[in-house]
Amino acid sequence: MSGTTDTALLLVRVVLGAVMAAHGWNHWRGGGGITGTAGWFGGLGLTRPRLQAWLSVLTELGAGVLLLAGLLTSLACAAVLSVMLVAGLLAHRGNGFFVFKEGYEYVLVLGVLAVALGVWGPGAYAVDEAADIALTGWAGGGVVLGVGGVATAGLLAVFWRPRRKE
């Protein structure tokens, strides 16, 4: 890859990682903290909402830090995709497309960016590349889609109980 492409991939990784870490931090320490996050998750139909809040914090912070370092990039992207799928399906889908109406626009962009980064790979300025463990192409994208999809399906199957319409 060229230096320009590697710099662009670094930029994408850093921004996506920082966004995810900020979301994790906010779920933990912002506004209502874990209690507020748990209340929100419970309102979405997730059982064990306090556990879900902590899992969200750990996933978002962990994926963010891994992306910033360019370490296990495909797995970090899978975590981002899973978080965005859950958010999109449970919190935003019913509100339409646009983010200013609480729609799924934002989570769609972050989820697709995570898949694309999995396909592109972390670039030269990453621990994955230095350790010679970088996944790119269909393998990287497959890990993101496969792990992210299975994680989402597992979480929803075990913890989501949709509210009944009365």
Side-chain angles (χ1 to χ4, degrees):
M1 273 189 224
S2 72
T4 336
T5 301
D6 288 320
T7 302
L9 289 172
L10 174 64
L11 182 62
V12 168
R13 261 195 11 257
V14 165
V15 169
L16 186 58
V19 166
M20 292 309 296
H23 275 271
W25 183 263
N26 187 59
H27 283 152
W28 180 24
R29 307 298 279 172
I34 288 292
T35 301
T37 301
W40 183 58
F41 285 169
L44 295 174
L46 289 169
T47 62
R48 312 266 329 260
R50 191 161 185 86
L51 172 64
Q52 294 303 314
W54 278 111
L55 289 174
S56 176
V57 165
L58 292 174
T59 301
E60 291 168 351
L61 283 173
V65 168
L66 289 173
L67 285 168
L68 288 168
L71 177 61
L72 304 175
T73 303
S74 295
L75 292 177
C77 287
V80 171
L81 177 62
S82 184
V83 168
M84 294 307 116
L85 284 170
V86 171
L89 291 169
L90 300 188
H92 301 287
R93 178 178 46 135
N95 299 325
F97 178 73
F98 293 106
V99 69
F100 61 84
K101 294 182 178 180
E102 298 296 324
Y104 59 87
E105 174 184 15
Y106 178 69
V107 297
L108 175 66
V109 169
L110 292 181
V112 169
L113 185 59
V115 174
L117 186 57
V119 172
W120 293 328
Y125 311 125
V127 174
D128 285 345
E129 193 65 35
D132 199 27
I133 59 171
L135 286 177
T136 61
W138 292 114
V143 166
V144 175
L145 289 169
V147 173
V150 167
T152 301
L155 182 136
L156 294 176
V158 173
F159 293 107
W160 184 51
R161 300 298 175 259
R163 290 175 252 146
R164 291 194 171 112
K165 294 182 181 180
E166 303 199 16

